[in-house]
Amino acid sequence: GETGRLFGSITTADVADAVKAAGGPVLEKRAIVLAAPIKTVGKHAAKVQVHPDVTATVTLEVVAG
């Protein structure tokens, strides 16, 4: 939209697909945790449960396309 809001929202499956498309590792969508549904362009944080004892925080940048 014109105000930077998305018509839908970014899901954990979208995040996993984007990481894979960028050449990163294959992530299970269940391992990705979003603090809230992503519905705006800009930078957002997501947590990835890499291992039961290891959690990584990644920064996602949603751009208008």
Side-chain angles (χ1 to χ4, degrees):
E2 294 178 15
T3 61
R5 290 197 48 87
L6 303 176
F7 292 108
S9 62
I10 303 295
T11 66
T12 55
D14 295 325
V15 173
D17 291 343
V19 169
K20 182 179 174 184
V26 175
L27 300 174
E28 292 289 330
K29 65 181 182 179
R30 294 180 299 260
I32 301 168
V33 178
L34 301 174
I38 298 174
K39 296 185 177 186
T40 59
V41 297
K43 292 187 178 184
H44 302 274
K47 293 189 184 258
V48 179
Q49 188 77 36
V50 185
H51 183 272
D53 297 329
V54 180
T55 301
T57 301
V58 295
T59 302
L60 312 169
E61 185 170 1
V62 179
V63 296

